């Protein structure tokens, strides 16, 4: 990646890391499926009235909506509501990087270089250290839901890579429009008649996740996936739990332990090593033959 694109990927990880604290706030006021459905409805309307067609076949829009939209966020928010704390959730969800690489290799035929394998191994050592230090605080069912959400995200990354939409923001608007109806229908069937909170804090949470995290974040994500292999872009999301735990510490006052700081260093090192290319040695001009 170029330095500008690398900075964009790191900035996106920061936005998504803080997103877990924001979602935890929103779930105080809304049930999870309703929260996810309203989130995508806000991201789609009224933007849908001003954008053109997605520029890709509708099956790709439906595929990304089913995986990245309804699948990932439906499972994720239900898992958080079932007892998964924000910090651990931000960690577990980053298993999507592994799922993305596996799906990209098996479905797209992408090559897995030794450099990427080593970088991912270092980063996942950091994730394992955080998990060991933090502990699985939530119920097993909630933990499994978050792992399933990570798998849905990984598959969605590969589907979006295959779709290669010409305009990522326009594409995400349509994905949001396709994601909202099934989530809202499931909310009515599972959670009952919707009751919208009037608390300003809950609505501000929805504004952030709808416009900053969803439209802005996945617009940038799709733009990066269109320019690089999925197995190159995905490891940068391993930085999300670093920003997630940091923002939780700043907002909620949670202390960061030395194992967590060491894990963050491992994650950053592994991601940077995975996403950069080794410098080629400069070619040496042959010495001129004396006359």
């Amino acid at each position: 990646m170029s330095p500008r694109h690398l900075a964009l990927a790191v900035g996106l990880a920061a936005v998504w890391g803080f997103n877990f604290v924001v979602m935890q706030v929103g779930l105080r006021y809304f049930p999870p499926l309703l929260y996810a459905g309203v989130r995508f409805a806000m991201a789609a309307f009224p933007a849908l009235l001003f954008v053109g067609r997605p520029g890709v076949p509708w099956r790709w829009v439906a595929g990304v909506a089913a995986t990245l939209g309804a699948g990932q966020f439906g499972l994720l928010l239900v898992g958080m509501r079932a007892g998964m704390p924000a910090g651990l959730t931000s960690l577990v969800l980053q298993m999507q990087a592994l799922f993305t690489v596996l799906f990209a290799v098996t479905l797209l035929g992408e090559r897995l270089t030794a450099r990427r394998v080593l970088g991912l191994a270092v980063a996942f050592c950091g994730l394992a250290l955080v998990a060991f230090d933090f502990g699985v605080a939530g119920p097993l069912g909630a933990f499994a839901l978050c792992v399933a959400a990570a798998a849905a995200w990984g598959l969605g990354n590969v589907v979006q890579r295959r779709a290669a939409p010409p305009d990522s923001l326009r594409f995400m608007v349509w994905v949001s429009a396709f994601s909202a109806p099934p989530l809202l229908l499931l909310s009515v069937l599972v959670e009952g008649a919707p009751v919208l909170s009037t608390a300003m804090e809950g609505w501000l949470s929805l504004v952030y996740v709808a416009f900053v995290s969803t439209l802005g974040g996945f617009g940038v994500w799709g733009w990066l996936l269109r320019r690089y292999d999925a197995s190159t872009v995905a490891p940068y999301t391993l930085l999300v739990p670093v920003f997630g735990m940091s923002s939780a510490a700043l907002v909620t006052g949670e202390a960061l332990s030395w194992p967590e700081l060491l894990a963050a260093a491992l994650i950053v090192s592994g991601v940077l090593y995975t996403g950069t290319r080794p410098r080629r040695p400069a070619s040496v001009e042959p010495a001129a033959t004396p006359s």
Side-chain angles (χ1 to χ4, degrees):
M1 280 190 176
S2 69
R4 287 188 300 175
H5 294 170
L6 190 149
L8 194 62
V10 173
L12 177 59
V15 168
W16 280 347
F18 184 63
N19 193 52
F20 289 93
V21 176
V22 175
M23 288 191 297
Q24 192 169 53
V25 171
L27 289 174
R28 299 175 188 167
Y29 304 97
F30 298 95
L33 294 176
L34 178 62
Y35 183 82
V38 174
R39 165 196 188 149
F40 285 113
M42 290 176 63
F45 303 100
L48 196 65
L49 304 176
F50 301 99
V51 299
R53 295 168 68 87
V56 298
W58 293 108
R59 66 180 183 275
W60 297 121
V61 179
V64 175
T67 51
L68 278 180
Q72 179 201 347
F73 286 104
L75 293 167
L76 172 67
L77 292 170
V78 172
M80 290 182 70
R81 188 63 176 263
M84 284 288 289
L88 184 59
T89 302
S90 68
L91 167 65
V92 172
L93 194 62
Q94 300 324 304
M95 291 180 66
Q96 65 82 24
L98 176 59
F99 286 116
T100 298
V101 172
L102 294 177
F103 286 132
V105 171
T106 56
L107 300 178
L108 300 182
E110 292 187 3
R111 296 181 60 186
L112 194 58
T113 64
R115 188 180 184 88
R116 289 179 184 174
V117 171
L118 180 57
L120 283 173
V122 172
F124 272 101
C125 284
L127 290 177
L129 182 58
V130 173
F132 179 80
D133 181 67
F134 195 89
V136 182
L140 182 60
F143 184 85
L145 285 169
C146 289
V147 173
W153 188 358
L155 183 58
N157 288 338
V158 173
V159 175
Q160 187 167 350
R161 167 74 174 169
R162 181 67 179 83
D167 187 320
S168 300
L169 181 60
R170 188 195 330 166
F171 180 74
M172 197 59 215
V173 169
W174 280 103
V175 167
S176 300
F178 273 56
S179 300
L183 285 167
L184 293 174
L185 178 60
L186 281 174
S187 175
V188 172
L189 294 176
V190 176
E191 299 167 343
V195 178
L196 298 178
S197 169
T198 56
M200 180 61 67
E201 196 175 40
W203 286 106
L204 288 176
S205 168
L206 278 170
V207 167
Y208 181 91
V209 298
F211 299 113
V212 179
S213 174
T214 302
L215 282 184
F218 279 98
V220 170
W221 181 252
W223 187 85
L224 289 172
L225 282 175
R226 199 166 68 247
R227 284 158 176 78
Y228 299 96
D229 288 347
S231 53
T232 299
V233 180
Y236 282 88
T237 60
L238 295 173
L239 297 173
V240 171
V242 177
F243 290 109
M245 290 185 296
S246 300
S247 60
L250 292 173
V251 174
T252 66
E254 295 180 9
L256 292 175
S257 64
W258 281 109
E260 289 172 340
L261 295 174
L262 175 59
L266 289 172
I267 293 170
V268 172
S269 301
V271 168
L272 291 178
Y273 186 78
T274 301
T276 56
R277 295 180 179 179
R279 291 184 178 180
R280 295 180 178 179
S283 57
V284 180
E285 293 291 336
T289 304
S291 303

